Structure formats: C-alpha cells, structure tokens
Amino acid sequence: MMATEGFLSILVSIALVITAIAPVALLVMLVRDWKRGNLW
Amino acid sequence: MNSVNSAILSPTIGWTILAIFSVIWVFLGWFWGRKAQELDEYVLAGRKVGIALGTATAMATWVTSNTTMTAPELAYRMGVWGMLGYSLGSVGLLLFAPLARRIRRLMPFGYTSGDFVRLRYGRTAWYVFLVISLVYGLGWLVSMGMAGGKLINALTGIEYLYGMSVILVICVGYTLLGGFRAVIGTDFIQAILILTGLVVIAVLAIDKIGFDQIHESVTRERPELLNLLMPAAIMFLFNNLLFGVGEIFHSNVWWSRAFAFREDVGFKAYFTAGIFWAPIPIVAGFIALAAPAMDVNVPAADMVGPLVSSEILGVTGAVLVLIMVFSALSSSLDSLLAATSILLVEDIYRRHLRPKAAPGELRSATRWTILGLGILTWIVSALQLGTLAQVLHFTGAFVASTIWPIAAGLFWRRTNPVGAVLAMALGSLAGIIAYHVIGFYVAALTGAAVSMVIVLVSTWLWPRDYDWDTLCEAHPGEESAA
C-alpha cells in the first residue's frame, strides 16, 4: 500500500500548521503568564 | 572526505554564529541566575514555573540533535513510516502528563526520580534504578557532546574538537551561572528558534517545488519510501515508542521539571509539549523527501536535512539549520547537566556521604558537579569512544524496564518492592538478550513486556499496603536542622 500525494500533503499540512501555531501559542502563553505574575 | 571542503558553511560564518549565541546564552544565564541563592531557586527555579516556560522546556529538551538531523535521515531511509515512527516519540511526553501532576502532588519537596524510588521501594530498588539512570544520563550527555562536535564539523568545517569544546563550555557556563532558571529560560528561546526555522524551510520547500513534484519524484526514484507496509519501519515505530516512554518515565530530566512546575501546570505543560513536538519529525522528515525532486546529491543520509535546506535557501538555509541544530543541542545538554548533577548530589552526595548537609552546601555541591560532569563529558567526547554512543542504543532495554515500576508505583498502592526490583533487573536482562539474539528494534519492546508481566503478577500475588504520605519527605533545611 503506497502513500498517495493526497495522503502526504494532508499529513504534512496538518504537521506544518501545528508547528507554525506552536511558537505563536508559546509566546501568547508567555505574555499571559507574565501579566499574571506566573512566569516562574 | 575533507570536512572543510565538504561543509555547507565556511568556518568563519560558523565561528561568528557560535560566538553570537555563546554571548547571548551566557549573558542570559548570568542575568537569570544572579538572584538564585537558595537551593530550590538554583536547582528547581523556585518550584513556580508557569505553563509557557514549562511547555517550552519540555518540548525543547525532547527536540535533540537527533530530532532535527535524524528525522530527515529516517524519512530518507524509511520513508513515511520513518517520519511517523519518530513522531511517536511524543507519546512519552503525553503519557508523562498525568504522572507529572501526581509527582508534584505526592512529593511537594522532592528533588529527583531517585527520591521517589528510594521512598517507594526501598534501597535495593533505589540502587538498581540509580545504575540504570546514571548510565543512561551519562550516555546521553556523551552522545550529545559528540553529536555537537560532529554536526558543527559537518555544517561548518570547524574541527570536531573545537566544535565539541565550544558547545560544552557554553552549556556548562550558563547552566553553572544560572542554574535551572537559565536552563528553562534559554529552552524557551531555543524552542521558538527551532520551530520557526523548521516552518520557514518546509514552507519554502513546498512553495518552490510543491507536493505534486515531490511525490512524483519519490514515486519514480525511491518508491519504497512511500510504502505504508515497510516491515523494518513498523518495528522501528513500536520500539521507538517504548524507548521514548522509558526514557521520559525514569529520567530525572523530566522528574526535575515535574518538581519545578507550579502544582497545576505539570499535566498541561507536558500534554501541550507532546502535541507541539509530534509534528516536528514529520515536518523535518518531509524536507528530506524533497531531495529526489531537487536532484540533491546526498553523500551521507544523515546530512540530507542540511543539504536540502541549503539547496532551497542557499547560505541562509544552512545558517538556519546551524542555529536550529545548535539550539537543539544546547536545550538537551543544559537539561542533562542540571538534572544529572542534582541526581548525583541528592542521591549520592547527600544520601550517602553528607546526610546533614545544609541547603547552601548542596547548592555549592551542585555547581561543582555541573562543572565535573562537563569535564567528564569533554574527556570522553574528546576520546571519541564510539562504544559509549552505542551504550545509548543499548539502554533501550534498561529504560523500558523502568516504565511499569515507575507508573505502577505512582498510582497503585499495592505494587511491592520485590516486584519492582525483579521487573527492572529481569526486564533489562531480557531486553539485552533480545537485543543480541533478535536485534536492536526489539530490546525496549522485550524489556517493557517482561517488566510489565512481573509488576502485574507480583502486585496480584503479594499486594502491599503503601502509605502515600511516606513520599512527602521534609526539605533538606528541615532535615539538617533536626
């Protein structure tokens, strides 16, 4: 059973979207923690 | 092959990047550590780490140089299953999330995973566990030191000894100056650098070549990479999953974070880190699949990631890869130095040599241990003892045998010390035998299976009524004063 182009593009696109969201989410969480005095 | 001539970047650019990041990390280490005078401040960042820094440090530490360099290599060798198999390394982070919450709740003054095994199962289990944990920790440290020298050499042509020395000196320097705050603070920046670099390279690869061309070229030139039933890759998938779970469940790298996070943060931080980590090997692996479409000449499979990146972005791509690799190495090395040093200080120095040591003395001992570990790692890495790097692969059987004693010990009152000792000892033995008789890809699998059977059967046959309050041990300040 071979991976089709559609399978590959969906797999990589989902992975890429999560990877792109991750740094933004981390920065948002950092600002929120900092404002609440919960950074460390 | 002459590495200076075959390197993607010139040594001058390499030295410039290393110098810039060295100054930044060491300055931040000093800045964040200047007020960490108390033991808990220095070794566990005051036990008040929030969700943002908690998530980033768990994610960045698990992104080793292997993730950024080996994931493309695995995709190039094993195809789609190689990417997915490596991605399952995130299961360890996800499964550790409930454990982290329970660890923080049961052991509010704990320092190490050794503390837990000693209090939960007694001294025999503690000794077996310490041997497994220290061999693994030192093996990982040396393999990261050696990987640093080799990767910097391959990317920039800087000599192995210089590259390895620079990365070790920097990591020891800022960990020594700033303690755990320096580790998690730099981990946050390193996480952002790794994720951003990866996204930029992958988006440009898709934009320049496109899924259709990449798929068409792989189908034509390396069709086996698209085979979803590649047996070796499926075996690798399961072994990698269990190896990862064993590494995370037992290692003080992850326990020290559970102790350092705020009480309500452990679960969320590890779970989110697992979600964020899972796609990284897929994106990094996909970059390698672009190689056939770009007609990139790949002399060694482990260089496929940097080669494709530099083909897409030129020097900028190679610089991005160097920064990502440097960040991945630093985020793992600093965590290992910090976690292994407190394991040695708490479980060996304090519990065996200086039981009445005050917190100030333990803080000082931790600093000396970080320095000592750095020197030891440098010596072994300088000698390039290949066999020690192989020890890390070998440890799959050992670490997987700790999964059940740790997990059952945290949640089941009735799991007993004899079962835990036998599970770790016989699980390791069975894993080693499987490693030699069958192959590396079943060592962790066998170790975990044997350990599981022993824990389940011994808990059923000889249940023990354990008092969870025993785990709530006093702080060293109170113990030394008593």
Side-chain angles (χ1 to χ4, degrees), chain A residues 1-5 7-16 18-27 29-30 32-33 37-40, chain B residues 32 48 50-53 55 80 84 181 184 188 192 195 199 202-203 206 211-212 215 223 226-229 262 275-276 279 282-283 286:
Chain A
M1 193 167 65
M2 304 297 274
T4 61
E5 185 197 326
F7 174 84
L8 194 66
S9 62
I10 290 169
L11 178 74
V12 175
S13 298
I14 293 170
L16 198 53
I18 300 172
T19 312
I21 288 170
V24 181
L26 285 174
L27 288 168
M29 287 194 285
L30 187 82
R32 201 183 56 176
D33 275 356
N38 286 347
L39 204 56
W40 56 16
Chain B
W32 285 324
K48 288 179 297 191
I51 181 84
L53 292 172
T55 303
V80 177
L84 290 171
R181 260 185 224 278
I184 55 174
F188 186 90
I192 300 288
L195 291 164
V199 169
V203 166
I206 295 167
F211 281 117
D212 50 347
H215 186 267
L226 298 171
N227 185 358
L228 292 175
L229 296 172
R262 285 173 190 275
I275 301 288
F276 286 170
I282 296 174
V283 177
F286 168 72

Side-chain angles (χ1 to χ4, degrees), chain B residues 40 42-49 54 57-58 61 96 100 103-104 107-115 180 183-184 187 248-262 266 270 334-343 346:
Chain B
D40 280 13
Y42 187 71
V43 300
L44 293 173
R47 301 182 193 263
K48 288 179 297 191
V49 176
T57 188
T61 302
F96 194 69
I103 288 164
R104 187 69 172 80
M107 303 179 70
F109 306 115
Y111 285 93
T112 66
S113 49
D115 279 342
F180 203 60
V183 172
I184 55 174
D187 276 0
I248 291 181
F249 274 30
H250 94 283
S251 172
N252 197 47
V253 166
W254 312 99
W255 279 71
S256 59
R257 280 162 175 72
F259 293 128
F261 294 167
R262 285 173 190 275
Y270 274 105
D334 60 8
S335 302
L336 269 165
L337 285 166
T340 312
S341 64
I342 186 63
L343 187 71
E346 167 69 4

Side-chain angles (χ1 to χ4, degrees), chain B residues 277-411:
Chain B
W277 190 92
I280 293 175
I282 296 174
V283 177
F286 168 72
I287 293 168
L289 291 186
M294 300 179 78
D295 278 335
V296 175
N297 178 29
V298 184
D302 58 350
M303 285 303 288
V304 65
L307 285 168
V308 172
S309 306
S310 62
E311 185 72 22
I312 296 167
L313 276 170
V315 174
T316 317
V319 169
L320 261 179
V321 171
L322 180 62
I323 293 172
M324 284 164 57
V325 167
F326 188 61
S327 298
L329 282 164
S330 309
S331 62
S332 302
L333 263 172
D334 60 8
S335 302
L336 269 165
L337 285 166
T340 312
S341 64
I342 186 63
L343 187 71
L344 285 166
V345 168
E346 167 69 4
D347 290 80
I348 307 290
Y349 181 77
R350 180 175 169 224
R351 296 289 167 190
H352 287 88
L353 306 172
R354 300 272 300 163
K356 301 264 182 212
E361 183 184 336
L362 295 173
R363 182 185 180 281
S364 176
T366 306
R367 298 187 79 158
W368 282 108
T369 310
I370 291 170
L371 188 63
L373 276 174
I375 293 169
L376 178 70
T377 307
W378 184 87
I379 292 170
V380 181
S381 302
L383 294 171
Q384 293 201 56
L385 297 175
T387 48
L388 271 173
Q390 287 158 13
V391 165
L392 197 63
H393 296 289
F394 200 63
T395 54
F398 292 89
V399 299
S401 74
T402 65
I403 295 173
W404 278 86
I406 293 285
L410 272 169
F411 289 97

